[in-house]
């Protein structure tokens, strides 16, 4: 049974569904996993006893802490709207997936102590958490989530040998320069490398014509520049790239005799839709065109699957859920049964991160940092293999290529 001091009054009505469900799940029974609710202060002082106390084992094999932005301090139970409550969705979904992973591992006979704190998306709160013994005296610290909070926590923390895991931020590790930081999400630079590597391995330089559409806007350039740099390095300059700021007059730069690889660095809807339309029309005029897009396209619901498939569109991606796999179906069924909700993207992320790091602790104990790069972890949602950099910390090097097939995105085989 999980001991949770209930400090929020519950309201009736649909607007409080997420808060109610969160408090209920934190109050539910869990096999050999001992979560602690996000507290108002991370003080190591003894808490006042709640109405119901359940004995907790004094010694546990492994201890983990989650630092997530529930922002429960900003929710007024008397006036909270659905929109205000939904701000906690990311943190709640991630926590639920993470806890389900530890529940799965605990069935193998290992115990986990899980503490959960609300970072409140406030700098002073993050500083207090970084200094608290109840946070830093853990085997693994997962969070905070947002880049500013990650930097602040690292600046004020003294975590001994425990690693700090950045679970969701896609910021470049160079922004933090923390040798004890584990960056799960891939940076945009890594996405650029993945596209360049795919082109280098799957095409011959003399058989393709590469056109890069780069508006030179900051976000576009961050993707375009590493594509150019890595393709040049990998091929020793054998692949040449024609760069254009837009798709106007694009047919002048395409080749009827070769396969045209068009890399589009933008994910802006107003720019992207006419560009895709123009390319699709050109593909109907006997131009052989294959498109490589920005990784943000994976969430671009406005893209026409028929046109994307007609252009043989591929993306690099940090994650992909294959709902046809039995293990994915099993997770979804367990999640529904446990929480009564459909798992979100962050539920899958929480499960994979919880299962990966929980397994490492189970196998190697406190020596787990020495084994992060031993093998590839193939998760429900994404894959992990970490490479250690003496300055930047531990970087996840696993990325996928996904392609439009059957009018939907599928993993490239």
């Amino acid at each position: 049974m999980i001991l949770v001091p209930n400090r929020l009054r519950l309201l009736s009505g649909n607007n409080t569904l997420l808060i109610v469900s969160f408090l209920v799940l934190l109050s539910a029974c869990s096999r050999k996993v001992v979560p602690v609710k996000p507290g108002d202060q991370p003080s190591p002082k003894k808490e006042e006893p709640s109405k119901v106390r359940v004995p907790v084992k004094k010694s546990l094999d492994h201890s983990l802490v989650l630092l997530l932005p529930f922002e429960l301090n900003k929710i007024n139970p008397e006036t909270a709207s659905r929109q205000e409550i939904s701000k906690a969705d990311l943190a709640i979904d991630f926590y639920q997936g993470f806890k389900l992973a530890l529940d799965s591992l605990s069935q193998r006979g290992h115990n986990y102590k899980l503490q959960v704190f609300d970072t409140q998306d406030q700098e002073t709160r993050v500083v207090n958490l970084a200094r608290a013994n109840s946070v830093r005296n853990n085997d693994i610290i997962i969070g905070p989530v947002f880049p500013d909070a990650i930097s602040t926590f690292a600046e004020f923390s003294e975590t001994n040998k425990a690693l700090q895991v950045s679970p969701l931020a896609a910021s470049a590790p160079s922004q933090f320069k923390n040798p004890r930081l584990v960056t799960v999400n891939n940076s945009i630079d890594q996405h650029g490398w993945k596209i360049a590597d795919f082109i280098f391995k799957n095409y011959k330089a003399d058989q393709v014509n590469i056109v890069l559409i780069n508006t030179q806007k900051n976000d576009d350039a961050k993707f375009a520049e590493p594509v150019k740099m890595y393709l040049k390095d990998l091929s020793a300059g054998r692949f040449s790239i024609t760069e254009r700021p837009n798709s106007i007059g694009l047919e002048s730069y395409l080749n009827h005799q070769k396969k045209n690889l068009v890399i589009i660095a933008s994910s802006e809807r107003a720019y992207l839709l006419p560009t895709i339309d123009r390319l699709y029309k050109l593909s109907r005029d006997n131009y052989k065109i294959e498109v490589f897009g920005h990784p943000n396209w994976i969430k671009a619901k406005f893209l026409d699957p028929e046109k994307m498939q007609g252009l043989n569109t591929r993306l690099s991606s940090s994650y992909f859920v294959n709902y046809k796999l039995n293990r994915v179906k099993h997770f979804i069924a367990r999640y529904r049964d446990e929480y009564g909700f459909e798992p979100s993207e962050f539920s899958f992320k929480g499960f994979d991160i919880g299962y990966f790091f929980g397994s490492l602790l189970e196998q190697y104990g406190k020596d787990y940092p020495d084994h992060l790069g031993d093998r590839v972890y193939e998760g429900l949602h994404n894959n992990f293999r970490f490479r250690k950099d003496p300055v930047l910390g531990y970087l996840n090097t696993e990325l996928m290529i996904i392609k439009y097939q059957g009018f939907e995105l599928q993993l490239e085989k």
Side-chain angles (χ1 to χ4, degrees):
M1 185 71 71
I2 300 171
L3 174 62
V4 180
N6 188 352
R7 294 176 181 147
L8 291 179
R9 286 178 292 171
L10 303 183
L11 294 174
S12 60
N14 292 332
N15 285 345
T16 60
L17 181 60
L18 290 176
I19 293 296
V20 172
S21 65
F22 180 53
L23 293 175
V24 169
L25 72 90
L26 281 175
S27 303
C29 291
S30 175
R31 296 186 58 189
K32 301 183 181 180
V33 181
V34 186
V36 178
K37 182 195 167 193
D40 291 330
Q41 295 295 331
S43 171
K45 294 181 181 179
K46 184 177 180 181
E47 295 187 33
E48 292 295 324
S50 58
K51 291 183 180 179
V52 180
R53 275 198 174 274
V54 180
V56 179
K57 291 183 179 181
K58 292 183 178 179
S59 63
L60 294 158
D61 292 344
H62 313 299
S63 62
L64 307 91
V65 62
L66 285 177
L67 308 177
L68 300 173
F70 296 96
E71 299 187 57
L72 300 182
N73 60 306
K74 298 179 182 178
I75 298 175
N76 184 342
E78 300 293 344
T79 60
S81 67
R82 173 76 184 190
Q83 184 177 6
E84 290 173 320
I85 292 174
S86 66
K87 293 178 181 179
D89 284 358
L90 179 154
I92 292 174
D93 291 352
F94 185 92
Y95 164 78
Q96 290 178 159
F98 192 94
K99 180 178 172 294
L100 203 59
L102 295 191
D103 285 343
S104 300
L105 291 169
S106 71
Q107 293 175 5
R108 303 204 302 228
H110 291 263
N111 298 333
Y112 298 88
K113 177 183 177 183
L114 175 62
Q115 296 189 88
V116 186
F117 290 103
D118 184 0
T119 60
Q120 301 176 0
D121 196 22
Q122 292 183 353
E123 184 177 19
T124 54
R125 170 68 171 173
V126 172
V127 172
N128 289 336
L129 287 167
R131 291 171 171 169
N133 289 333
S134 55
V135 172
R136 63 188 185 184
N137 292 336
N138 284 275
D139 297 319
I140 297 179
I141 299 170
I142 297 168
V145 167
F146 302 125
D148 288 346
I150 294 170
S151 297
T152 298
F153 184 89
E155 181 180 353
F156 289 93
S157 68
E158 295 179 3
T159 59
N160 300 321
K161 290 187 176 181
L163 298 183
Q164 178 189 352
V165 179
S166 170
L168 302 176
S171 304
S174 57
Q175 178 178 334
F176 309 112
K177 295 182 180 178
N178 178 2
R180 300 207 64 76
L181 184 68
V182 181
T183 303
V184 172
N185 240 345
N186 305 98
S187 67
I188 194 66
D189 184 85
Q190 288 177 300
H191 282 280
W193 177 88
K194 186 66 175 180
I195 294 298
D197 183 63
F198 184 87
I199 291 173
F200 171 68
K201 290 180 177 177
N202 291 277
Y203 301 93
K204 294 182 179 180
D206 59 350
Q207 296 178 2
V208 296
N209 173 48
I210 303 177
V211 179
L212 171 63
I213 302 178
N214 177 17
T215 67
Q216 297 296 336
K217 291 182 179 179
N218 188 45
D219 288 343
D220 297 1
K222 286 181 180 178
F223 178 57
E225 293 304 318
V227 172
K228 292 189 295 182
M229 179 184 70
Y230 289 123
L231 188 56
K232 179 181 178 180
D233 291 346
L234 287 168
S235 68
R238 290 194 300 275
F239 284 90
S240 62
I241 298 177
T242 301
E243 191 166 359
R244 299 294 302 156
N246 52 55
S247 61
I248 298 173
L250 187 61
E251 55 269 30
S252 302
Y253 301 92
L254 300 183
N255 190 316
H256 270 298
Q257 280 70 48
K258 295 183 177 182
K259 188 172 291 184
N260 297 279
L261 308 184
V262 181
I263 305 167
I264 305 176
S266 177
S267 58
E268 185 178 336
R269 176 174 180 157
Y271 174 84
L272 195 53
L273 286 177
T275 301
I276 293 297
D277 286 345
R278 181 181 292 272
L279 285 169
Y280 186 68
K281 289 178 181 178
L282 289 170
S283 72
R284 312 294 281 184
D285 291 335
N286 297 320
Y287 283 101
K288 297 177 182 179
I289 298 175
E290 295 188 11
V291 168
F292 291 87
H294 192 285
N296 285 347
W297 289 14
I298 195 172
K299 294 184 178 181
K301 303 300 183 184
F302 57 83
L303 294 172
D304 184 339
E306 181 178 352
K307 292 179 180 178
M308 303 307 287
Q309 181 164 314
L311 291 169
N312 300 296
T313 305
R314 292 182 178 88
L315 317 175
S316 59
S317 181
S318 299
Y319 62 91
F320 178 78
V321 179
N322 185 350
Y323 289 94
K324 297 177 182 178
L325 293 178
N326 287 332
R327 57 197 180 102
V328 172
K329 294 177 181 177
H330 178 66
F331 168 75
I332 293 173
R334 284 188 62 205
Y335 195 93
R336 289 171 181 162
D337 183 61
E338 184 77 14
Y339 304 118
F341 294 98
E342 292 296 310
S344 72
E345 170 191 340
F346 300 106
S347 308
F348 281 98
K349 289 179 185 291
F351 183 88
D352 280 337
I353 291 172
Y355 202 91
F356 175 75
F357 287 100
S359 297
L360 279 177
L361 279 175
E362 175 189 320
Q363 187 171 1
Y364 301 109
K366 294 184 184 299
D367 294 329
Y368 74 89
D370 298 330
H371 300 276
L372 260 68
D374 284 1
R375 62 185 178 88
V376 175
Y377 167 78
E378 296 183 357
L380 301 176
H381 177 271
N382 52 2
N383 300 334
F384 305 146
R385 183 195 286 272
F386 291 95
R387 173 179 60 82
K388 185 177 181 180
D389 184 282
V391 176
L392 305 179
Y394 300 80
L395 313 178
N396 183 19
T397 60
E398 286 296 299
L399 269 169
M400 311 172 191
I401 293 290
I402 53 178
K403 180 181 180 180
Y404 276 89
Q405 292 177 315
F407 304 106
E408 63 180 3
L409 285 168
Q410 299 288 342
L411 190 64
E412 177 93 354
K413 295 182 179 180

